[in-house]
């Protein structure tokens, strides 16, 4: 017990240097200029750079928060273990105190005379009884010492555990505050980046609507899924006519975000080969700042939610460099990789520019169908 508690104390003592820099991250984020709306239908390079920088900060902040949560959980488990040990010791104290008191009374009883040996000799009926009485007296004396030492040892351990527990709680509270500060900054960046993406998306849609020639634009190249025979986006004679609803993914704590989007995506994927993957989509979206609806909606259009996969656990018609299709060892692996890929290469949500890159031959149809599926989630 004492050894394990020393390990806890060592862990606590080492925590300040290991705390993810949540406080430093919060300061850095505070010093970062917030993104402001830009009235343009096509993002400039500067705007793209701002979005990329915001994306990186979102990922760094959520990574810091997740790491802090893990450390807090580990520390709480050790605190719980300490508390259980304290409760166990406290439960034993009354019995030990009673034993010590009884032993002390017995010792006093047999040593209160001026010469207990003479008293034993006078009162003993035989030499055997005398010897037995002497042995019993020695046992009482030894028992008294043992019980008292055990009681003192238990009291000392209890006090040590309580001190270490208080130190752990203080550290836990400080780290929790640092994580909350970093999370608040990350959520603000998430909201700003999402709002900017949606505004630019709306502006580009308005421009395309006004410019029929641009709306009828045909692009060459295969893109990510241009040659996916399982894709439902095959209409080459269409224009964009669908707007993605606001996902309201900002200003949400981790548990609320994960719980809400796990449930919504699980409902959307129910009955498909990807059923039950809502949690993996939600976690991947939280970690990258990507709209949690985007990847599952693409999976619907490209493979009917995993029914017609181009390769193992590739539900997104995701081509590999050099030809062929990407493959993964599990849905979890594929989902994490795809959501991160969207965030790094296409931004935080569906836009016409993203559609042009992902499915050039029929990008308008692809955009409309993916947007429609996102609105269903």
């Amino acid at each position: 017990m004492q050894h394990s508690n020393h390990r806890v104390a060592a862990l606590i003592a080492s925590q300040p240097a290991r705390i993810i820099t949540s406080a430093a991250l919060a300061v850095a984020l505070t010093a970062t200029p917030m993104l402001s709306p830009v009235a343009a239908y096509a993002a400039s390079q500067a705007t793209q750079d701002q979005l990329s920088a915001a994306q990186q900060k979102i990922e760094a902040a959520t990574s810091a928060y997740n790491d802090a949560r893990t450390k807090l959980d580990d520390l709480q488990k050790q605190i719980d273990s300490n508390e259980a040990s304290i409760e166990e010791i406290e439960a034993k104290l009354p019995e030990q105190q009673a034993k010590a008191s009884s032993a002390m009374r017995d010792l006093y009883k047999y040593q209160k005379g001026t010469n207990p040996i003479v008293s034993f000799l006078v009162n003993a009926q035989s030499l055997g009884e005398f010897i037995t009485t002497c042995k019993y007296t020695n046992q009482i004396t030894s028992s008294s010492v043992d019980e008292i030492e055990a009681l003192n040892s238990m009291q000392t351990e209890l006090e040590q555990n309580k001190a270490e527990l208080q130190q752990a709680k203080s550290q836990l509270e400080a780290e929790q505050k640092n994580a909350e500060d970093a999370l608040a900054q990350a959520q603000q960046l998430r909201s700003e980046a999402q709002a900017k993406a949606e505004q630019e998306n709306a502006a580009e849609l308005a421009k395309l609507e006004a410019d029929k020639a641009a709306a009828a634009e045909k692009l060459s190249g295969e893109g990510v899924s241009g040659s996916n025979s399982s894709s439902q986006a095959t209409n080459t004679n269409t224009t964009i006519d669908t707007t993605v609803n606001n996902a309201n993914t900002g200003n949400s704590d981790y548990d609320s975000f994960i719980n809400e989007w796990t449930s919504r995506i699980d409902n959307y994927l129910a009955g498909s080969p990807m059923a039950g993957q809502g949690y993996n989509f939600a976690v991947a979206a939280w970690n990258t700042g990507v709209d949690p609806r985007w990847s599952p909606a693409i999976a619907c259009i490209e493979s009917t939610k995993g029914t017609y996969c181009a390769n193992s656990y590739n539900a997104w018609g995701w081509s590999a460099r050099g030809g062929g299709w990407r493959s993964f060892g599990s849905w979890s692996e594929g989902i994490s990789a795809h959501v991160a890929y969207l965030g790094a290469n296409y931004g935080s949500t569906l836009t016409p520019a993203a559609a042009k890159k992902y499915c050039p031959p029929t990008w308008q149809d692809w955009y409309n169908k993916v947007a429609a599926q996102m609105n269903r989630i």
Side-chain angles (χ1 to χ4, degrees):
M1 172 61 70
Q2 290 181 340
H3 294 303
S4 63
N5 290 331
H6 290 320
R7 287 196 295 271
V8 174
L11 171 64
I12 295 168
S14 68
Q15 285 286 329
R18 296 169 52 234
I19 291 180
I20 307 201
T21 70
S22 298
L25 176 59
V27 171
L29 293 176
T30 302
T32 303
M34 291 302 177
L35 301 175
S36 57
V38 178
Y41 82 94
S44 65
Q45 184 59 49
T47 300
Q48 292 294 343
D49 291 343
Q50 281 184 316
L51 288 172
S52 296
Q55 185 69 27
Q56 292 174 2
K57 286 182 172 62
I58 291 170
E59 293 179 7
T62 51
S63 176
Y65 175 76
N66 292 343
D67 193 29
R69 280 175 57 88
T70 299
K71 292 197 295 183
L72 289 171
D73 289 342
D74 291 343
L75 187 55
Q76 187 60 52
K77 290 177 182 178
Q78 296 182 61
I79 290 175
D80 292 342
S81 176
N82 273 359
E83 289 179 337
S85 298
I86 289 173
E87 291 176 358
E88 181 179 350
I89 292 173
E90 290 178 335
K92 292 179 179 179
L93 279 176
E95 180 182 356
Q96 291 290 351
Q97 289 170 336
K99 288 182 178 180
S101 297
S102 176
M104 292 177 71
R105 285 195 301 269
D106 290 342
L107 181 62
Y108 175 75
K109 175 181 177 181
Y110 284 95
Q111 292 184 344
K112 66 180 180 178
T114 56
N115 192 338
I117 299 298
V118 173
S119 176
F120 292 160
L121 286 171
V122 171
N123 294 312
Q125 299 297 318
S126 65
L127 180 60
E129 183 179 350
F130 172 76
I131 294 174
T132 299
T133 302
C134 288
K135 288 183 178 179
Y136 179 64
T137 301
N138 290 334
Q139 290 173 354
I140 291 296
T141 303
S142 177
S143 174
S144 298
V145 173
D146 291 344
E147 296 295 347
I148 293 171
E149 288 182 349
L151 179 59
N152 288 336
S153 176
M154 293 178 71
Q155 288 176 324
T156 300
E157 185 173 0
L158 176 59
E159 292 171 358
Q160 180 182 353
N161 283 352
K162 284 186 175 180
E164 291 179 355
L165 180 58
Q166 185 58 48
Q167 184 180 10
K169 284 185 175 179
S170 297
Q171 177 62 38
L172 177 62
E173 292 169 354
E175 188 168 349
Q176 177 73 63
K177 183 61 169 60
N178 289 336
E180 288 177 354
D181 290 344
L183 175 59
Q185 295 295 332
Q187 289 176 331
Q188 181 64 30
L189 283 178
R190 183 194 297 277
S191 297
E192 294 290 341
Q194 185 72 25
K196 181 178 179 65
E198 291 172 352
Q199 183 175 15
E200 291 196 349
N201 185 26
E204 187 169 4
L205 290 177
K207 173 65 177 177
L208 291 175
E209 179 64 23
D211 188 351
K212 297 299 183 182
E217 176 184 5
K218 300 295 187 295
L219 301 179
S220 61
E222 295 301 321
V224 176
S225 69
S227 60
N228 179 20
S229 60
S230 299
S231 175
Q232 300 174 31
T234 57
N235 191 341
T236 59
N237 299 307
T238 188
T239 58
I240 287 180
D241 58 12
T242 307
T243 300
V244 180
N245 297 335
N246 192 327
N248 295 318
T249 58
N251 299 320
S252 177
D253 64 85
Y254 177 87
D255 289 328
S256 297
F257 182 96
I258 298 301
N259 290 338
E260 176 183 355
W261 288 104
T262 294
S263 176
R264 290 173 64 168
I265 296 172
D266 276 345
N267 289 337
Y268 175 72
L269 297 174
S272 76
M274 302 184 81
Q277 296 302 315
Y279 175 79
N280 289 325
F281 277 112
V283 170
W286 172 268
N287 289 338
T288 59
V290 170
D291 189 320
R293 304 169 298 173
W294 197 9
S295 182
I298 293 176
C300 178
I301 299 307
E302 294 292 344
S303 69
T304 313
K305 302 177 184 178
T307 302
Y308 307 104
C309 287
N311 210 329
S312 297
Y313 301 103
N314 178 356
W316 305 276
W318 194 354
S319 59
R321 290 182 178 179
W325 305 95
R326 293 200 59 174
S327 62
F328 304 96
S330 66
W331 283 125
S332 176
E333 179 186 343
I335 289 167
S336 178
H338 187 254
V339 174
Y341 174 77
L342 290 177
N345 295 278
Y346 296 88
S348 60
T349 192
L350 174 66
T351 62
K356 292 176 185 179
K357 288 176 62 178
Y358 204 99
C359 186
T362 55
W363 70 270
Q364 296 96 334
D365 191 30
W366 191 88
Y367 178 96
N368 287 336
K369 289 178 177 177
V370 171
Q373 290 302 315
M374 291 174 68
N375 290 337
R376 292 184 58 189
I377 299 175

